[in-house]
Amino acid sequence: MSVIALFPITIQQAASLSYDTTLFVTVFLVFSLMTRIWSGQHKISWKWVIYFPLILLVLYLTKKSALILLSLLLTLPTTFFNNKKIQTLSHRFWNFWNKHKWLVLLVLVLGSSVVFRFLFQSHGGFMRWAHIMFNTYFATWINGNLDPIIVSGMVGAFSAFSYRLPEWLIILTFVILSWLMLSDKKVKIDNRVVFISSCIFIYNILLTGTMMYLGWTGGKGNVSIGEQGRYYTPFLIYLLPLFMKISEKVKVEITGTHRKLMAFGLCFVNLSLFIILTIIFWFSKG
């Protein structure tokens, strides 16, 4: 979380007047709360009468795509509830879905098609939506913003996209972040936490692209224009459960000292170059 919080784009957002800053804060706070729940440090109590409405309000006031974080309710462990009957029912419910994984996939596919068909009902339906999303996130010859603004922007694209961090540093950042996630402390987590957290990252991208096409692009053309990488930056943390699961098969051992040096070095280089490029961009002549 600290590495993502110290990405140049995160620092730039924190120093700006953009309301997108609230998205970073909300996503981080929700993830922090969920990690305490997953690890058994937080259980349901009367305080949730206050917590839950506040969470709903904050999610609604940021970006509507952030409402997908409500799907984290499906990751609540059975021990979260103090009532034995609720614990038993919850345990049986998740045992059923765990035994019928094909049904989970079927419900996900059908549910997604219904949602995106509804959102695109005035713009050609589900197949039209799929065409737009493919062009937006795969067809670089159609969407010239994919690499320099969306992908690079997750780490740093600044000043109305007039300059950004070099591509080699963007790639290195993602590589080191992956190493840090793979070598993190091994924590026992449910498969549904891994699955739903990964879906949150993917569906946030799809929902953002869809809403940008309808609202910003104007519902015309073959590509969604207007997305910025910063919309996806805080959601990178939701890939951590997936990387923890992968680390059970792919062994990556890094000592605590080297992890700290790697994280500090990455943040230092990124922020230093960001400051240097910003000074050159704004104050150099010619």
Side-chain angles (χ1 to χ4, degrees):
M1 288 182 73
S2 61
V3 169
I4 295 174
L6 289 173
F7 274 0
I9 189 62
T10 315
I11 299 296
Q12 189 266 349
Q13 283 294 285
S16 74
L17 295 177
S18 171
Y19 77 95
D20 287 341
T21 306
T22 59
L23 178 65
F24 284 73
V25 175
T26 301
V27 172
F28 279 13
L29 283 176
V30 171
F31 186 78
S32 180
L33 175 63
M34 292 309 302
T35 53
R36 290 181 59 81
I37 292 175
W38 294 333
S39 61
Q41 298 178 44
H42 224 316
K43 292 192 176 184
I44 195 165
S45 67
W46 64 269
K47 294 179 181 178
W48 278 88
V49 176
I50 301 173
Y51 288 163
F52 193 67
L54 283 176
I55 291 172
L56 281 176
L57 179 62
V58 172
L59 289 177
Y60 181 78
L61 291 177
T62 52
K63 286 186 176 297
K64 302 301 181 289
S65 60
L67 288 171
I68 196 173
L69 292 177
L70 291 176
S71 62
L72 289 171
L73 291 173
L74 297 174
T75 68
L76 293 175
T78 55
T79 54
F80 177 72
F81 305 97
N82 293 322
N83 188 290
K84 290 292 184 182
K85 290 184 179 179
I86 296 178
Q87 286 184 8
T88 302
L89 287 174
S90 178
H91 186 68
R92 290 176 179 174
F93 177 80
W94 290 118
N95 274 347
F96 171 82
W97 289 105
N98 194 46
K99 290 179 181 178
H100 302 87
K101 295 183 177 64
W102 61 270
L103 190 57
V104 174
L105 184 60
L106 180 62
V107 170
L108 186 65
V109 171
L110 291 177
S112 300
S113 62
V114 170
V115 170
F116 289 115
R117 185 178 184 277
F118 171 76
L119 292 175
F120 251 62
Q121 60 183 342
S122 301
H123 296 84
F126 179 77
M127 293 308 297
R128 175 63 176 167
W129 169 84
H131 180 206
I132 298 298
M133 291 302 103
F134 179 84
N135 287 347
T136 301
Y137 298 112
F138 293 97
T140 53
W141 61 93
I142 298 177
N143 185 11
N145 294 332
L146 182 59
D147 293 332
I149 295 178
I150 298 179
V151 177
S152 295
M154 292 173 73
V155 180
F158 315 101
S159 292
F161 314 124
S162 299
Y163 81 97
R164 60 191 170 105
L165 295 180
E167 198 72 27
W168 62 265
L169 188 55
I170 302 293
I171 295 172
L172 186 61
T173 297
F174 287 127
V175 169
I176 293 179
L177 182 63
S178 299
W179 284 352
L180 293 173
M181 286 184 171
L182 285 171
S183 63
D184 207 351
K185 181 182 178 181
K186 303 300 182 287
V187 179
K188 181 66 176 178
I189 51 177
D190 294 333
N191 288 333
R192 54 192 165 99
V193 173
V194 177
F195 180 73
I196 292 172
S197 296
S198 303
C199 285
I200 284 175
F201 181 77
I202 296 170
Y203 276 84
N204 171 61
I205 294 175
L206 295 176
L207 284 170
T208 301
T210 301
M211 301 315 293
M212 292 303 291
Y213 182 80
L214 298 176
W216 184 273
T217 311
K220 299 178 181 179
N222 294 320
V223 65
S224 178
I225 299 174
E227 298 103 302
Q228 301 174 35
R230 71 188 190 195
Y231 301 156
Y232 313 132
T233 301
F235 287 91
L236 285 169
I237 195 65
Y238 284 90
L239 292 177
L240 179 59
L242 175 63
F243 276 80
M244 282 184 168
K245 194 68 177 179
I246 294 174
S247 69
E248 294 177 2
K249 305 295 183 182
V250 180
K251 300 298 181 183
V252 179
E253 298 295 338
I254 305 176
T255 64
T257 301
H258 287 127
R259 290 183 82 251
K260 290 178 182 178
L261 287 173
M262 192 181 294
F264 174 79
L266 174 66
C267 294
F268 181 79
V269 171
N270 276 342
L271 289 172
S272 298
L273 192 53
F274 164 57
I275 293 171
I276 292 170
L277 290 174
T278 301
I279 293 173
I280 292 174
F281 178 81
W282 284 109
F283 299 105
S284 64
K285 294 182 180 180

